[in-house]
Amino acid sequence: SAWLATSVEIIENIFDMKGLTGHHFLRNAPWFVTHPRLAVAAMHEYKIKKVFVTPSTDDGLINGLVCWFE
């Protein structure tokens, strides 16, 4: 599995929805974000270990996922 985020609010909401028991899962899954600032927030504020910055288009996110899962 992998996660996509185009804003810090999305990351925050996903962490809130998963609750404390899901944080380990979320921190170890790959995340694809559309801006370097999101990567910094994901890594520092949420302790996410694998963050990849893609172009900020639908195609950029899709290509990132395709590369990861091939």
Side-chain angles (χ1 to χ4, degrees), residues 23-54:
H23 285 193
H24 179 72
F25 169 75
L26 293 173
R27 288 184 176 122
N28 289 302
W31 284 74
F32 294 85
V33 300
T34 55
H35 196 278
R37 284 184 294 195
L38 290 173
V40 170
M43 294 177 81
H44 291 173
E45 292 178 36
Y46 294 95
K47 310 292 186 243
I48 297 170
K49 296 176 182 174
K50 297 176 222 159
V51 181
F52 304 95
V53 179
T54 68

Side-chain angles (χ1 to χ4, degrees), residues 7-27:
S7 71
V8 173
E9 291 81 12
I10 290 172
I11 299 171
E12 181 180 304
N13 287 337
I14 290 171
F15 269 80
D16 286 346
M17 288 188 300
K18 287 299 272 184
L20 291 176
T21 57
H23 285 193
H24 179 72
F25 169 75
L26 293 173
R27 288 184 176 122

